[in-house]
Amino acid sequence: VQLVESGGGLAQPGGSLRLSCAASGFTFSTYAMSWARQAPGKGLEWVSAVNSVGSDASYADSVTDRFTVSRDNAKNTLYLQMNSLKPEDTALYYCAKAREGGWGTPILLQEYEDWGQGTQVTVSS
């Protein structure tokens, strides 16, 4: 399994970024996928998850109505569209695959594995 995040960078408050997660080494279309983040000096925080076919998504309260998760199973790629960015969104963002395949949308960090190396998002003026 290999997960490679990209798309991070520096954004101004109120700005937008789109993260991507390129997946390989497993049947991407049969697993739910998740995004999580880790801010400096803090633990890993679950951000969002999407089911295997992209028909169901869940979000942490801190990003609801600002972030949108999606996936393109033909391209084996997971996305996170981040709008109305805030300084508190500054973190290293990771993607991961669910431990088990299926139709559900797990929302707990321990239900995911094979985290990528992360992409840095910095929100600052």
Side-chain angles (χ1 to χ4, degrees), residues 17-29:
L17 284 173
R18 188 193 196 201
L19 305 184
S20 298
C21 170
S24 61
F26 66 102
T27 306
F28 181 73
S29 62

Side-chain angles (χ1 to χ4, degrees), residues 22-90:
S24 61
F26 66 102
T27 306
F28 181 73
S29 62
T30 62
Y31 288 87
M33 297 292 294
S34 179
W35 288 98
R37 65 187 182 185
Q38 186 166 25
K42 295 188 177 181
L44 193 62
E45 175 192 17
W46 175 78
V47 172
S48 181
V50 62
N51 70 351
S52 59
V53 296
S55 62
D56 181 58
S58 296
Y59 300 91
D61 290 343
S62 58
V63 306
T64 295
D65 296 329
R66 298 190 299 121
F67 291 11
T68 302
V69 62
S70 63
R71 63 192 297 161
D72 186 336
N73 285 348
K75 296 182 178 180
N76 287 355
T77 304
L78 175 73
Y79 302 101
L80 186 67
Q81 177 67 45
M82 305 186 298
N83 298 329
S84 302
L85 284 164
K86 304 175 181 180
E88 50 263 45
D89 294 320
T90 295

Side-chain angles (χ1 to χ4, degrees), residues 101-112:
W103 295 101
T105 313
I107 62 170
L108 299 177
L109 285 174
Q110 56 262 41
E111 296 179 282
Y112 290 89

Side-chain angles (χ1 to χ4, degrees), residues 92-109:
L92 193 58
Y93 283 72
Y94 300 91
C95 64
K97 63 173 283 293
R99 291 186 182 275
E100 298 182 1
W103 295 101
T105 313
I107 62 170
L108 299 177
L109 285 174

